[in-house]
Amino acid sequence: VELTYQLNTDVSDDTYLNSLSPQDNNGGVQTVLGAGLSPDFSVLFKLMDVLIPTCASIEEATLWLYAGNPNLRFPSEWQAYPLLSPWDEYAASWVHRAPDLTWEAPGATGATDRSVDAVPIERIEQDGIPGIQIDLTTLPRQNFGVVIFTN
């Protein structure tokens, strides 16, 4: 059986972290403005657990992200790392991962925040619009999602 999910706000948790507004939460924001333009700005993404039956095996999982405006600078170097702790879409900030719980290091950069092993990323382009393709296939079954940022 093959299942394909078209992502929308009902099937994923996502937010962005910004060091310029370290206490602000951006969960539920539809557009991530300026994402990837600085190492002090990162995106958190997680496919909700309820969508994947425990008896299922995952053969391939890929996330595609595209620039909303092809005329803006799109970074060339991206990194994505599996997160190691749960986080709350509507509470996560540069400093906090959930209400009253901080990241080990700001921006989810600590050793207990994220894995040291990056997930594969490839630059792509569709109809002249730059983007990235992130291979999520190897994420652990205990899914805390990924943190995505540029150098």
Side-chain angles (χ1 to χ4, degrees):
V1 174
E2 182 175 320
L3 298 175
T4 302
Y5 293 104
Q6 177 95 18
L7 296 182
N8 61 40
T9 57
D10 295 334
V11 299
S12 67
D13 288 340
D14 55 83
T15 189
Y16 66 91
L17 314 178
N18 184 347
S19 69
L20 299 177
S21 303
Q23 300 295 331
D24 289 357
N25 168 262
N26 301 292
V29 175
Q30 293 297 316
T31 303
V32 179
L33 299 174
L37 299 181
S38 158
D40 296 326
F41 192 106
S42 55
V43 175
L44 304 183
F45 173 85
K46 179 177 88 105
L47 188 62
M48 291 172 58
D49 298 329
V50 297
L51 298 176
I52 305 169
T54 56
C55 62
S57 64
I58 300 171
E59 295 181 16
E60 183 177 11
T62 307
L63 173 65
W64 293 276
L65 300 174
Y66 292 94
N69 182 342
N71 298 319
L72 296 177
R73 180 181 77 83
F74 193 75
S76 59
E77 297 295 323
W78 291 83
Q79 295 181 23
Y81 293 88
L83 288 164
L84 301 175
S85 303
W87 51 277
D88 183 324
E89 176 181 20
Y90 296 102
S93 69
W94 188 254
V95 177
H96 291 92
R97 61 183 177 92
D100 301 320
L101 294 174
T102 59
W103 297 107
E104 177 187 5
T109 58
T112 62
D113 297 328
R114 67 174 195 201
S115 172
V116 296
D117 299 317
V119 296
I121 295 183
E122 180 181 331
R123 282 186 57 88
I124 56 175
E125 188 173 301
Q126 181 177 348
D127 300 325
I129 300 173
I132 54 173
Q133 174 178 299
I134 304 171
D135 183 354
L136 303 177
T137 308
T138 60
L139 287 182
R141 190 61 182 197
Q142 186 178 19
N143 173 23
F144 297 124
V146 292
V147 56
I148 306 163
F149 58 91
T150 66
N151 294 3

